[in-house]
Amino acid sequence: MKELNNILNYSFKFSKEISISVKAILVLILVLVIASILLKLFKKLVVKRLEQEDKNKFDTVFSFVSWLLYITIFLTTLSTSGVNVTAIFAASAALLIGVGLALQTFFQDIISGIFIIVDQSVHVGDIIELDDKVGRVEEIKLRTTRAVTIDNKVLIIPNHKYLTSSLYNWTQNGTTTRESVEVGVAYGSDLELVKKLLLRAANEHPNILNNPEPLVLFMNFGDNSLDFKLVFTLNDSFMASIPQSDIRFKIDQLFREHNISIPFPQRDVHVVKE
């Protein structure tokens, strides 16, 4: 028994101020194991009462909080076991500063991820636009958000981008969005006919909603054309480029059938001979 006590009281000395006994190590391992079991039981009880979307959010936050708890338990256990924790920090101060600077962006991403989950500004399934990139959110993790673009490319967004850039959530107010197609016609064209044909192009498309009705706006008297904008409503803005392309084809067909020309920029060049 005396030999066992001597082994447990044996210390690993790292410096004149830092020493860790075998007993302290065993206590630390025991406390971490108990904490791990309790955290798993707590997670299991909470997850049972949550919906699937809330489960994903809880898992993300729980993983971050768990690491904070493990670190706190680790330092507290060492301190109560008689280990000079202050000396450990002092001995590794330079290393901690270097690691802190290197992980600055990493922790920015984590904090931003928590803000996103708590604030609920972005949900799985939302269509977002960030830095001129559009994608449908597939997964929100603690450090990154995973989105898929219209051409099926995976877009990995660091979460700190939400705090440093302007984010457009296309579906925050619902799945329907207002889209548009712009076109110019030659001066002297029958404008009422132009309006009628533009509305016809929108109304005949199967993916364009009738409520609210498509709208034609006379935008400007341009340098080379009379500029119009056809505004319509879609239920799937993520695929907006396809209906927009279909409508442009239809407008070109209708304009040709009714002899309405779409002008292009022209310049007169005068050559002066000396």
Side-chain angles (χ1 to χ4, degrees):
M1 192 71 179
K2 184 177 180 181
E3 292 179 357
L4 179 61
N5 288 329
N6 290 334
I7 293 174
L8 294 176
N9 291 324
Y10 179 78
S11 299
F12 298 96
K13 295 185 178 181
F14 297 97
S15 68
K16 293 181 180 180
E17 298 181 346
I18 304 171
S19 63
I20 301 177
S21 65
V22 175
K23 182 178 179 180
I25 294 175
L26 292 176
V27 170
L28 177 62
I29 293 173
L30 179 62
V31 171
L32 289 176
V33 170
I34 293 174
S36 177
I37 294 172
L38 292 176
L39 286 172
K40 287 180 180 178
L41 289 174
F42 174 75
K43 180 181 178 181
K44 190 174 182 180
L45 290 173
V46 173
V47 167
K48 284 182 179 179
R49 304 178 181 180
L50 298 177
E51 296 180 358
Q52 185 59 44
E53 183 179 349
D54 293 329
K55 286 180 183 179
N56 296 333
K57 296 178 182 179
F58 177 78
D59 287 340
T60 303
V61 176
F62 183 80
S63 61
F64 178 67
V65 174
S66 297
W67 281 109
L68 289 180
L69 286 175
Y70 283 132
I71 293 172
T72 303
I73 292 170
F74 178 82
L75 296 176
T76 303
T77 304
L78 287 181
S79 180
T80 54
S81 299
V83 178
N84 191 348
V85 179
T86 305
I88 294 176
F89 280 117
S92 58
L95 176 62
L96 291 174
I97 291 173
V99 172
L101 292 174
L103 297 179
Q104 183 177 4
T105 305
F106 175 79
F107 284 112
Q108 278 184 339
D109 290 333
I110 291 177
I111 298 301
S112 301
I114 294 175
F115 285 157
I116 293 168
I117 293 170
V118 173
D119 187 48
Q120 296 188 353
S121 56
V122 178
H123 299 83
V124 173
D126 285 355
I127 299 171
I128 61 173
E129 180 180 350
L130 189 69
D131 293 339
D132 297 326
K133 297 180 178 65
V134 179
R136 191 192 302 273
V137 177
E138 297 290 331
E139 186 179 16
I140 301 175
K141 294 184 178 181
L142 196 59
R143 195 181 68 83
T144 59
T145 297
R146 180 176 174 270
V148 178
T149 63
I150 190 172
D151 48 1
N152 203 33
K153 294 179 181 178
V154 177
L155 186 63
I156 305 298
I157 306 171
N159 286 335
H160 77 270
K161 284 280 188 180
Y162 293 108
L163 300 182
T164 58
S165 304
S166 296
L167 170 69
Y168 296 93
N169 192 327
W170 290 11
T171 51
Q172 183 73 49
N173 294 327
T175 58
T176 60
T177 56
R178 297 286 274 178
E179 306 295 338
S180 63
V181 169
E182 296 183 7
V183 64
V185 299
Y187 277 88
S189 300
D190 185 344
L191 300 189
E192 288 300 321
L193 178 59
V194 170
K195 180 179 179 180
K196 179 181 176 181
L197 296 177
L198 291 177
L199 291 175
R200 177 180 168 186
N203 290 323
E204 291 183 357
H205 196 284
N207 294 336
I208 303 298
L209 300 181
N210 295 325
N211 187 21
E213 296 179 352
L215 175 67
V216 174
L217 300 176
F218 190 168
M219 299 301 296
N220 200 8
F221 295 93
D223 293 336
N224 304 285
S225 63
L226 302 172
D227 300 328
F228 288 84
K229 177 187 284 188
L230 173 61
V231 183
F232 48 87
T233 304
L234 291 175
N235 195 33
D236 187 3
S237 57
F238 190 59
M239 303 296 290
S241 59
I242 296 176
Q244 286 172 331
S245 176
D246 294 339
I247 288 175
R248 291 188 183 100
F249 276 114
K250 188 65 175 180
I251 290 173
D252 180 70
Q253 175 192 337
L254 293 174
F255 279 9
R256 289 177 183 274
E257 292 176 356
H258 293 82
N259 297 318
I260 295 177
S261 61
I262 300 176
F264 54 87
Q266 300 183 40
R267 295 291 183 269
D268 293 330
V269 180
H270 299 277
V271 178
V272 179
K273 293 183 179 180
E274 296 182 356

